[in-house]
Amino acid sequence: MVSKLSENTKGVFVISATPFCPDGSLDLDGTEQLLDFYVGCGVHGITILGVMGEANKMTDSESAEFAGRALRHVGQKLPVIVGVTHSALTALKELSHSVMDMGASAVMLQPISGLKSDDALFRYFEKVFETIGPGIPVVYQDFPQASAVHLSPAAWSRMVNAFPDLVMLKHEACPGLAKLSKIRDMERQGLQRRVSILIGNNGLYFPQELHRGADGAMTGFAFPDVLVNVYALFSDGRAVEAEDLFDQYLPLVRHEQQIGFGLPVRKEILRRRGALRHATAREPVYGLTEIDIAEIDRFLERAERKNR
């Protein structure tokens, strides 16, 4: 059995897509194909029902069904983090306990929108941990572009010291390099315990964030195997080679990162790589045009040419 997530977790966790059929229904039969692809990429863990997983477009029953299928298939091989963000604390508790019972290694959530101060943010998470109870590792998703909640280093330090089950920060505030450095500085000064930090934003600043103390990445980039290799090179003391490899894919990383556009691009690339049976994303979604498809062709041809 895979152990629970801890403050020492490192590596590349891929944010999984959710497979849908052309009619928009959940493609449960394609789940194993997708997850096997991720495992074959060498990832250190998988996160399901995140923003990349279109969790906000799924019903609670669909989310539970997909989580169960995914956890049965890979929960014994790799740690699986499950997104449980919900406006209702009672539902959040139910989701958290359900997926942990199914074999999840941790849950991930964003704060509800509208929290305008450090005190309000702390009080919200105080209620969260009180509601779900002890023993469930929690990943804080710091994604103010979606939540409109800004996490200060001081607020993070206060929460880390108060909530022992808060074991990871998914760091994707942008700009956020200074925040990452500040958090690591406070840890070195003994002001708070060290907590795992995995970065998001499609890995756009991955090498810089590794230099500043990130423990890895958690993102939906359609080439997670590349991020795994970048991480391995960096961990082996070969930072220049890691950056050179990353630079080969930076145009595609940047292209996928476009808000509202990256999801269909990623799904189309994942389909071409044999991970998805269909590139379908649920409405509302941007529909790729012939020009968009031609751009993807050029990106993939360029990446392949550089790797020959």
Side-chain angles (χ1 to χ4, degrees):
M1 180 176 180
V2 174
S3 60
K4 291 181 180 179
L5 218 65
S6 78
E7 296 92 338
N8 301 314
T9 299
K10 299 177 183 291
V12 174
F13 280 57
V14 66
I15 296 282
S16 174
T18 301
F20 296 109
C21 297
D23 64 0
S25 61
L26 194 60
D27 182 16
L28 283 173
D29 290 337
T31 301
E32 286 81 3
Q33 177 178 325
L34 173 63
L35 297 174
D36 287 344
F37 167 80
Y38 289 138
V39 172
C41 286
V43 298
H44 305 92
I46 297 175
T47 301
I48 61 173
L49 299 178
V51 175
M52 164 70 178
E54 301 175 79
N56 63 326
K57 300 177 185 177
M58 297 168 65
T59 66
D60 289 347
S61 61
E62 285 177 325
S63 295
E65 197 170 11
F66 177 65
R69 189 77 169 252
L71 287 163
R72 284 192 297 274
H73 191 64
V74 294
Q76 300 297 316
K77 304 173 187 175
L78 291 172
V80 178
I81 301 170
V82 182
V84 296
T85 298
H86 203 288
S87 58
L89 288 179
T90 51
L92 194 154
K93 175 183 178 180
E94 184 177 317
L95 285 168
S96 298
H97 283 263
S98 174
V99 297
M100 293 301 294
D101 288 344
M102 288 190 283
S105 293
V107 300
M108 181 174 73
L109 60 107
Q110 295 185 61
I112 58 171
S113 60
L115 302 175
K116 300 300 184 183
S117 69
D118 288 357
D119 284 343
L121 182 58
F122 182 87
R123 287 194 298 271
Y124 172 72
F125 272 89
E126 192 172 41
K127 285 291 185 185
V128 166
F129 283 103
E130 179 184 306
T131 300
I132 66 175
I136 297 180
V138 171
V139 178
Y140 181 108
Q141 184 174 10
D142 182 23
F143 190 35
Q145 301 93 308
S147 67
V149 177
H150 294 272
L151 174 70
S152 70
W156 175 248
S157 181
R158 184 181 176 191
M159 289 194 292
V160 165
N161 288 330
F163 310 127
D165 287 323
L166 184 56
V167 300
M168 180 183 287
L169 174 66
K170 186 191 177 188
H171 170 68
E172 47 190 344
C174 187
L177 291 172
K179 182 193 291 188
L180 176 52
S181 293
K182 178 65 174 177
I183 289 172
R184 289 309 192 208
D185 284 343
M186 290 191 296
E187 292 169 349
R188 283 188 286 269
Q189 294 169 30
L191 300 176
Q192 65 190 59
R193 63 188 168 92
R194 192 187 190 282
V195 173
S196 176
I197 299 178
L198 301 188
I199 61 89
N201 286 322
N202 210 44
L204 189 58
Y205 314 105
F206 192 27
Q208 291 73 38
E209 288 163 319
L210 287 172
H211 278 292
R212 291 184 182 235
D215 294 303
M218 186 194 298
T219 186
F221 183 46
F223 284 83
D225 40 338
V226 172
L227 298 185
V228 168
N229 289 332
V230 169
Y231 173 79
L233 287 167
F234 190 91
S235 300
D236 198 36
R238 300 156 66 186
V240 173
E241 292 175 66
E243 294 200 44
D244 287 345
L245 174 59
F246 180 80
D247 287 349
Q248 293 181 26
Y249 288 84
L250 181 55
L252 186 54
V253 169
R254 182 185 61 205
H255 191 63
E256 279 190 21
Q257 176 58 14
Q258 297 177 81
I259 301 297
F261 178 72
L263 175 64
V265 170
R266 289 172 187 160
K267 283 199 147 181
E268 172 60 19
I269 295 173
L270 287 170
R271 184 193 66 79
R272 295 190 190 194
R273 299 196 72 197
L276 290 171
R277 301 198 300 180
H278 315 286
T280 308
R282 276 193 171 168
E283 298 291 345
V285 67
Y286 175 84
L288 297 178
T289 65
E290 290 184 6
I291 296 176
D292 298 326
I293 295 296
E295 283 174 342
I296 293 173
D297 292 338
R298 289 197 298 273
F299 277 120
L300 295 180
E301 288 168 5
R302 184 183 183 198
E304 183 179 345
R305 187 168 62 250
K306 285 184 175 182
N307 282 315
R308 287 174 184 161

